[in-house]
Amino acid sequence: MDINYHDKIPNNVGLADDKSLQRALERWQPGFRGWWTEMGPDASRGYDVYLRTATGVDRDGWAHFDYVKMPDYRWGIFLNPADPGRTIGFGDHRGEPAWQDVPGEYRSNLRRIIVTQGDTEPASVEQQRRLGLACPSLYDLRNLFQINVEEGRHLWAMVYLLHRYFGRDGREEAEALLERRSGDRDNPRLLAAFNEATPDWLSFFMFTFFTDRDGKFQLSALAESGFDPLARTTRFMLTEEAHHMYVGVTGITRILQRTSEVMASERTDDPARLRGLGVIDLPTVQRYLNFHFSVTLDLFGSDLSSNAATFYTTGLKGRIDESRIDDDHRLKDASYPVPAVVDGKLAQNEAPALNALNEKLRDDYIQDTLAGVARWNRILQKNGVDFRLTLPHKGFNRRIGSLAGLAISPDGRVLDRQEWDAHAAEWLPGAEDRAFVQSLMGRVVEPGKFANWIAPPERGINGQPVSFEYVRFG
Ligand code: BYC
């Protein structure tokens, strides 16, 4: 399934055969470009960046790497091939042929899901727009830009669905996606984590590790959708998401590598000394981890959600790897444990599984993040450092769901306010931490050079050396 790059909008959906859709999307395109110029990566105009561009949706289609001038990236519409025999795998419509069009009665829920997904994509570009000015290397700068253009493409993926399947209100939603702004008081992005700042590269790596992984889990749930165009779109998006999480996990690995090298050579674990030596002390890394993990857990929604039950029952949003789960895929009689506070202690209540689907996805996500944290700890262990990173309890610092607003310590104890206030600065990054991390953020753009606080990667991109000129400045 090759991608047509001759059209104004690259696509593999036969756009040229649907003139009114093509015209509508071509009318949206200048708005998108305007948004990119205003809110995309700062001061990147005219740079030649060594980027990966999709030329097909199969495995080989990914092989194309070349220098691309930043605003000339060819954002397009790419869907995985259709499976003509596909049936709906869960809910009340299980076993029926997957829908090729929007079922009228589910229209507004489906639109809401697509808009929520679409909103996160430009939001993350907005959050990251100033990071290029303080990049630790050309290699990292290139990875940032690769992620940014792909998030832009993910916006195109959702906008295509809105234009193609939702008529006038879909076009209005597509406009609104270009109007909301991350962190704006009057017109913010829809989900809380996407209104937080990503002011430094430690935040960026944590974001790509934790928050892009929410992307993986939500997209995997949508890849099961009975609405086939959504399933096919999100399947292709998932192939791109993998690189974003790779940037996150390796970014933190390289920070830990560098810090532990300095800890070994200077024989110290004193945070103040390490900061003086220009590397990020491990308690600060832990505090950033605590923040990004807890803020991302909120993205899964309330632990008991009638929306989630409806999305599942009506076949719009499934569970991750639905077909591999051995149950009735309807869940009407099943239960699932959700968190509760009983007599001042954390406990669990059995709840109807349908209503607890957000919690199930959150728990699956937590399992996945554990593997990354174990990988980080292996670096510390290998370098003879005693410190270990840990995931805080899932009730820590929550704003959404039944644990929202409770004072729960990272090790899962329910505290009173006083106790929380006494320790919060140990657990969450404070102004001083942020100012310190910010003070390290200089711009390193000499090929093969890296900022002092981060080790070079083990290998370069697409078999190129680490010292390759990944970005050429115009
Ligand atoms: N912030 O019933 P509930 C990605 C609202 S990341 C603010 O629990 P539901 C990416 C909710 O809207 C993946 N508000 O919610 C990563 C509702 O409001 P109303 C993004 C929130 O609907 C990195 C109310 O609270 N994709 O791709 O079951 C870079 C009650 O909520 C939040 C998706 O999320 C929040 N965190 O679940 C780039 C998939 N959470 O109706 C990209 C699509 C909830 O009372 N979205 N609320 O006004 C969904 O499936 C669902 O909307 C959610 C929420 C799972 C997010």
Side-chain angles (χ1 to χ4, degrees):
M1 258 186 114
D2 270 359
I3 290 171
N4 174 355
Y5 271 94
H6 303 298
D7 287 2
K8 232 168 148 180
I9 301 167
N11 71 92
N12 69 350
V13 294
L15 201 54
D17 301 331
D18 185 342
K19 287 294 172 212
S20 69
L21 175 64
Q22 187 176 35
R23 271 196 301 276
L25 284 164
E26 284 180 5
R27 270 198 297 274
W28 187 80
Q29 193 177 33
F32 171 80
R33 288 189 172 284
W35 166 80
W36 180 269
T37 306
E38 185 195 334
M39 297 310 296
D42 220 4
S44 60
R45 198 159 256 276
Y47 294 2
D48 289 302
V49 187
Y50 188 69
L51 290 179
R52 175 178 70 171
T53 303
T55 52
V57 291
D58 50 9
R59 271 189 159 277
D60 300 339
W62 270 121
H64 192 75
F65 282 81
D66 206 349
Y67 285 101
V68 178
K69 275 225 186 309
M70 262 310 246
D72 299 341
Y73 186 81
R74 302 292 312 276
W75 287 279
I77 300 161
F78 316 135
L79 266 64
N80 263 19
D83 165 5
R86 181 165 179 256
T87 55
I88 299 169
F90 59 91
D92 288 349
H93 299 283
R94 179 167 155 78
E96 296 173 20
W99 302 304
Q100 299 307 323
D101 223 321
V102 177
E105 65 272 41
Y106 307 144
R107 196 168 183 278
S108 72
N109 273 342
L110 198 48
R111 192 185 60 211
R112 174 193 165 123
I113 291 174
I114 293 169
V115 167
T116 308
Q117 179 63 50
D119 191 69
T120 63
E121 316 290 1
S124 69
V125 175
E126 292 165 3
Q127 288 171 297
Q128 295 164 14
R129 67 184 301 259
R130 294 195 193 284
L131 292 173
L133 301 174
C135 62
S137 73
L138 279 188
Y139 165 89
D140 290 292
L141 184 61
R142 177 261 167 219
N143 284 345
L144 169 72
F145 289 162
Q146 180 76 52
I147 290 173
N148 292 160
V149 293
E150 284 171 359
E151 301 298 10
R153 206 206 65 71
H154 289 181
L155 171 59
W156 271 96
M158 293 300 115
V159 164
Y160 164 72
L161 295 177
L162 290 171
H163 271 237
R164 167 75 178 75
Y165 296 99
F166 293 88
R168 189 200 179 113
D169 44 334
R171 290 194 294 277
E172 284 168 8
E173 292 286 9
E175 287 301 321
L177 285 168
L178 296 177
E179 285 159 12
R180 284 186 288 272
R181 290 285 181 272
S182 174
D184 190 292
R185 235 184 350 168
D186 301 324
N187 197 14
R189 292 295 172 185
L190 298 177
L191 300 175
F194 292 90
N195 288 304
E196 299 285 348
T198 311
D200 57 65
W201 282 75
L202 178 57
S203 301
F204 172 65
F205 292 133
M206 289 293 181
F207 182 96
T208 45
F209 180 80
F210 285 111
T211 310
D212 279 273
R213 192 173 306 271
D214 171 46
K216 167 181 157 185
F217 276 74
Q218 298 293 348
L219 291 173
S220 299
L222 298 179
E224 302 288 340
S225 181
F227 178 50
D228 205 39
L230 177 61
R232 290 168 56 205
T233 311
T234 46
R235 276 170 208 266
F236 185 65
M237 290 163 76
L238 277 164
T239 61
E240 296 166 312
E241 206 66 48
H243 173 68
H244 307 183
M245 289 179 293
Y246 170 84
V247 168
V249 73
T250 54
I252 299 295
T253 301
R254 291 161 52 210
I255 291 175
L256 298 175
Q257 173 65 26
R258 181 67 190 131
T259 299
S260 39
E261 279 166 17
V262 175
M263 288 171 81
S265 66
E266 301 294 320
R267 293 173 190 277
T268 182
D269 59 5
D270 175 18
R273 262 212 68 211
L274 290 163
R275 285 183 173 199
L277 293 161
V279 294
I280 305 176
D281 56 287
L282 301 178
T284 299
V285 175
Q286 178 70 58
R287 284 192 284 277
Y288 272 65
L289 182 160
N290 292 349
F291 174 77
H292 286 272
F293 178 67
S294 56
V295 165
T296 304
L297 288 189
D298 279 341
L299 286 175
F300 290 84
S302 311
D303 16 357
L304 286 176
S305 164
S306 58
N307 288 340
T310 305
F311 295 166
Y312 187 83
T313 306
T314 55
L316 304 184
K317 182 179 175 188
R319 290 169 296 175
I320 198 161
D321 284 333
E322 186 71 49
S323 62
R324 290 204 214 140
I325 302 175
D326 183 19
D327 62 16
D328 71 354
H329 302 274
R330 293 178 198 270
L331 305 180
K332 304 252 191 234
D333 305 317
S335 66
Y336 191 82
V338 294
V341 175
V342 179
D343 298 333
K345 287 209 165 61
L346 280 169
Q348 289 189 325
N349 278 341
E350 284 298 314
L354 275 175
N355 292 72
L357 281 166
N358 287 343
E359 194 62 19
K360 159 93 175 102
L361 195 60
R362 183 165 24 242
D363 288 340
D364 291 346
Y365 166 88
I366 292 171
Q367 280 307 314
D368 203 49
T369 54
L370 281 169
V373 175
R375 178 173 168 174
W376 294 336
N377 282 332
R378 281 198 293 277
I379 296 288
L380 298 176
Q381 186 180 21
K382 200 177 88 200
N383 289 304
V385 171
D386 282 339
F387 194 99
R388 294 289 176 268
L389 293 166
T390 52
L391 287 180
H393 188 275
K394 72 174 168 180
F396 172 75
N397 192 39
R398 292 288 303 282
R399 300 276 178 273
I400 302 263
S402 65
L403 302 178
L406 293 174
I408 296 175
S409 63
D411 61 1
R413 284 170 301 122
V414 184
L415 309 177
D416 60 35
R417 264 300 133 195
Q418 238 179 346
E419 213 181 337
W420 169 272
D421 289 343
H423 292 281
E426 292 160 35
W427 296 333
L428 286 167
E432 204 199 325
D433 295 320
R434 295 203 180 274
F436 164 67
V437 174
Q438 198 61 51
S439 76
L440 298 179
M441 301 290 124
R443 183 171 163 92
V444 179
V445 290
E446 206 180 311
K449 286 266 184 304
F450 287 81
N452 179 59
W453 53 269
I454 189 164
E458 277 176 8
R459 64 186 85 84
I461 298 292
N462 190 34
Q464 301 289 1
V466 168
S467 60
F468 186 71
E469 196 178 5
Y470 288 103
V471 181
R472 293 180 184 147
F473 302 100

